[in-house]
Amino acid sequence: MKKSISKFVPRLWRTGLALFFGLLLASCWLSLARNSTAWVHAAPLAAPLAAPIEPPEGYPKFNQSHMTVTPDLVSTGGATLEYRIEIVNTGAYTGNNVILTDALPVSTTYKSSEASVSPQPTFTDGVLFWNGTVGFDSTVVITLAVDVHPAFEGLVTNTAEISHTALTGPVLISADAMVTDDPFFEIEKTSVPAIPGSNKPLTYTISITNRGQPATNLPIDVTDELPADTTFRSAGQGGTYHLGTNSVTWERSVNLGTGESEQFVFSVQVGDVLSGTVLYNTNYQVENPLSEIAAGDIYSVTVLDPILFLYKETVPFPPGSNQNVVYKLTVLNKGSLATNLQIDDTIPAGVTYVSGGTRVGNTVRWTLPSLDTGESAEVSFTVYIGDVAEVPVLNNNYQVCSAEGVCQSGIPLTSIVKGPTFEAYAFLDPIAKKPGGGTGPVTPTLTIKNLGPGYALDATAMIYFDRISVSLTDMLVIPDVGSL
């Protein structure tokens, strides 16, 4: 025990001396640091501190302000309209002295007004006026009530103006209300497909919506003149084609409440036109005996050929030696409907065809009946790669064609074949034993992994034992592959 303690005494003594000199050096360093700090404070300033930087100037923003009216549809004979004006400040600064002016619509009389914050609005000479503050991210609400003159019929449009010195111009907001005893219609148009193709059908849908009073057994006439470069195919809902005017008409009675709609459908055949041709609908309308004719806005669609894209990839990537590899081809259509598509791919040199598609000589082929706008399709075929590594396999001759005469080749694909990659490690269980061998067994284990991607053929593993007695019957291979 004394001998054991004496072994550690020198270590403790050296440690104590090191600690003592370390504390002494630290004390000296702190003293110098304190003296150095005192010297810095004692030195005079070279120049006065600069004045703080002023924040950048900004301005309020009111472009999100809006106006609504309730109700937006009234009958004649006198009615009250209530406007809600919301002055919304989305700028980073408070708006002081914000001004709102609102000249009353014609054929209306001022009734009342109110603001959500002080001051309250004033009304003079037919104009509503408010001047106040709108904070950042705040909204001031001003309400205005007006009475419509009993004899007035038509559209009441109210437009207000928001101004501020920081704005480049006033912000205008408005709201409409219809005063009528009759139904009146809004007409719109859509078409399918969204991208029509040359020599293919195109279907138009005309939608009429009642924006006025309810319509009961109201006779209407809907007319649509066919676009140039199209020919009539068919019309639904009792529509009739007139060759002389090249138009489709519907004559019928409708029952439509306020906001309700009805559709009228007809189809045409697009002519043999160039890709990029624009078809214009410039003359379509709805007419009824109670209100004016409602004409639709100009409607146009662009005729395009199919626009095909072709991509290819391998699974796995990169391909590995001594195994199957799948070539996956994806075709995408961004144009009009493509029909009777044919995809051809040449089998690369240095591989063996296994399956997929239809083999025609050295070509693999697929057919697709159609591919619509925005649709994609995927095909694949399988080949076998032999016992090679770091060898490029070139697949550079593949394409897709459609009955519309559109063809698209794929980008050449070069794949470098990768061989097997091994990882090996060994361990003993237990890792230590008493001298002399003992009586318990020691189990050595060697693990070999192929991290790929290639398969290994005729692989050999060598295990060397030193100072361990092993017989062949003591060894196992898991899984049971190869022989010892």
Side-chain angles (χ1 to χ4, degrees), residues 185-189 205-209 219-225 237-240 242 247-252 254 262-266 283-288 293-294:
F185 297 98
E186 177 183 86
I187 185 169
E188 295 178 327
K189 172 176 283 189
T205 297
I206 301 170
S207 178
I208 64 167
T209 303
I220 63 169
D221 293 339
V222 178
T223 305
D224 194 340
E225 185 177 325
Q237 297 82 28
T240 303
H242 303 278
S247 62
V248 184
T249 62
W250 292 265
E251 298 179 2
R252 55 185 299 183
V254 295
E262 190 158 335
Q263 284 75 41
F264 302 85
V265 180
F266 72 100
N283 188 11
Y284 60 104
Q285 64 181 34
V286 56
E287 182 179 3
N288 72 86
I293 294 174

Side-chain angles (χ1 to χ4, degrees), residues 176-445:
D176 292 333
M178 176 58 71
V179 181
T180 182
D181 296 327
D182 301 321
F184 68 94
F185 297 98
E186 177 183 86
I187 185 169
E188 295 178 327
K189 172 176 283 189
T190 58
S191 64
V192 291
I195 302 178
S198 176
N199 299 306
K200 289 187 173 65
L202 173 63
T203 300
Y204 288 103
T205 297
I206 301 170
S207 178
I208 64 167
T209 303
N210 181 13
R211 298 301 184 187
Q213 304 296 346
T216 303
N217 292 325
L218 178 66
I220 63 169
D221 293 339
V222 178
T223 305
D224 194 340
E225 185 177 325
L226 271 62
D229 298 314
T230 66
T231 55
F232 176 76
R233 284 172 52 92
S234 63
Q237 297 82 28
T240 303
Y241 174 68
H242 303 278
L243 180 62
T245 58
N246 194 31
S247 62
V248 184
T249 62
W250 292 265
E251 298 179 2
R252 55 185 299 183
S253 296
V254 295
N255 296 287
L256 292 175
T258 303
E260 293 182 345
S261 302
E262 190 158 335
Q263 284 75 41
F264 302 85
V265 180
F266 72 100
S267 64
V268 298
Q269 183 78 9
V270 178
D272 189 14
V273 298
L274 295 176
S275 180
T277 299
V278 181
L279 305 180
Y280 291 99
N281 261 140
T282 58
N283 188 11
Y284 60 104
Q285 64 181 34
V286 56
E287 182 179 3
N288 72 86
L290 297 181
S291 57
E292 297 179 352
I293 294 174
D297 295 331
I298 295 177
Y299 183 83
S300 65
V301 292
T302 302
V303 180
L304 293 177
D305 289 336
I307 303 174
L308 304 176
F309 297 88
L310 188 59
Y311 308 92
K312 173 179 282 189
E313 60 182 328
T314 63
V315 180
F317 176 81
S321 57
N322 302 306
Q323 64 171 317
N324 288 341
V325 175
V326 178
Y327 282 102
K328 293 172 61 176
L329 291 82
T330 301
V331 57
L332 170 67
N333 181 18
K334 299 294 286 186
S336 63
L337 174 70
T339 59
N340 298 324
L341 295 95
Q342 179 174 300
I343 305 171
D344 289 332
D345 195 348
T346 302
I347 300 172
V351 302
T352 302
Y353 171 83
V354 176
S355 63
T358 300
R359 184 173 182 178
V360 181
N362 199 40
T363 300
V364 183
R365 178 168 296 167
W366 302 264
T367 57
L368 300 173
S370 64
L371 199 63
D372 211 343
T373 305
E375 288 186 345
S376 63
E378 182 181 284
V379 297
S380 63
F381 70 104
T382 303
V383 300
Y384 180 80
I385 297 179
D387 193 21
V388 295
E390 302 302 327
V391 174
V393 176
L394 177 61
N395 190 260
N396 63 343
N397 187 10
Y398 60 104
Q399 69 172 7
V400 56
C401 293
S402 70
E404 291 73 21
V406 176
C407 292
Q408 179 62 53
S409 298
I411 299 174
L413 176 65
T414 300
S415 305
I416 305 299
V417 180
K418 296 297 181 179
T421 302
F422 294 108
E423 178 184 79
Y425 53 92
F427 64 92
L428 291 175
D429 184 23
I431 61 173
K433 293 182 64 66
K434 295 179 180 180
T439 58
V442 176
T443 303
T445 301

Side-chain angles (χ1 to χ4, degrees), residues 15-88:
T15 302
L17 286 176
L19 181 60
F20 171 78
F21 284 112
L23 291 173
L24 180 60
L25 288 174
S27 176
C28 294
W29 173 255
L30 290 174
S31 176
L32 289 173
R34 283 195 295 270
N35 292 336
S36 175
T37 304
W39 296 336
V40 170
H41 283 291
L45 292 175
L49 294 175
I53 300 175
E54 294 294 332
E57 294 184 359
Y59 55 91
K61 297 178 182 178
F62 301 106
N63 55 353
Q64 298 299 315
S65 302
H66 55 274
M67 178 195 299
T68 57
V69 59
T70 305
D72 58 4
L73 175 66
V74 295
S75 299
T76 59
T80 299
L81 302 179
E82 296 184 353
Y83 294 94
R84 179 183 174 90
I85 302 170
E86 296 189 10
I87 307 175
V88 182

